[in-house]
Amino acid sequence: DKQLRLEKQLNNEIAAFWEEAELEVKGYKGNDACMLGGNIQDIQERLENDIMALNQMNAMRFVTPFKPMVVEKITQLSETADIIEKWLKVQTLWTNLVSVFTGGDIAKQMPIESKKFKGIDKQWLKIMERANEQKNVIACCANDILRNSLPELQAGLEFCQKKLENY
């Protein structure tokens, strides 16, 4: 009975939800740029809750037949949560800097930083375009290009932010 309940929760509630869960990508200030929005807080909350439920399942003695699947789901959802957290940090930095470096006097007076930002902006637009095409949360966050480029983008944006603050 307890194993059946675990299996139902694992397959019918957790796995089924994540097969269907999609990211909402919305436009940013009427231009080509996009950003994560709408349901992202709900997605993060659900990730947290499901990771907690899976960890509790993993500690039960009835989990034995499902243990590999539970461990795999914990890993998958934890990595997804980490990616979304990094993604949102990059998005916040990007939204703070995009208007400064895409026109106006500051962009002209800081040509090195402006050029660096334009490169970051191109990468950001590609990432968001892919997210708009592949909306499934797990599949989108499992993308190695996304996983590898977020830390690089964050470092570049922090560099631009620091230079702007010094300016």
Side-chain angles (χ1 to χ4, degrees), residues 41-139:
Q41 272 78 27
D42 297 337
I43 296 281
Q44 286 181 301
E45 253 177 61
R46 181 67 190 247
L47 279 167
E48 247 178 65
N49 292 339
D50 285 354
I51 291 167
M52 200 166 24
L54 287 165
N55 280 322
Q56 288 172 345
M57 264 185 222
N58 198 27
M60 294 178 175
R61 64 182 179 168
F62 310 107
V63 78
T64 307
F66 317 109
K67 193 157 184 86
M69 192 175 168
V70 169
V71 170
E72 181 187 325
K73 275 286 174 212
I74 290 170
T75 304
Q76 185 184 54
L77 295 182
S78 296
E79 287 174 359
T80 300
D82 291 344
I83 292 290
I84 288 177
E85 195 174 313
K86 288 175 186 168
W87 201 343
L88 288 172
K89 282 181 186 171
V90 170
Q91 179 171 287
T92 300
L93 287 166
W94 180 82
T95 54
N96 291 341
L97 296 172
V98 69
S99 59
V100 174
F101 284 111
T102 53
D105 294 339
I106 294 175
K108 290 175 188 161
Q109 294 172 17
M110 299 178 74
I112 295 166
E113 292 79 5
S114 184
K115 186 178 178 184
K116 184 170 185 70
F117 182 82
K118 281 183 179 137
I120 291 168
D121 190 48
K122 272 185 190 168
Q123 259 188 301
W124 174 257
L125 293 175
K126 282 181 189 170
I127 285 171
M128 294 313 295
E129 193 177 303
R130 280 196 201 107
N132 204 16
E133 291 166 5
Q134 171 56 276
K135 292 186 179 207
N136 180 274
V137 176
I138 302 295

Side-chain angles (χ1 to χ4, degrees), residues 141-153:
C141 291
N143 183 334
D144 285 337
I145 295 167
L146 176 67
R147 183 178 288 136
N148 296 331
S149 63
L150 284 176
E152 183 184 307
L153 290 175

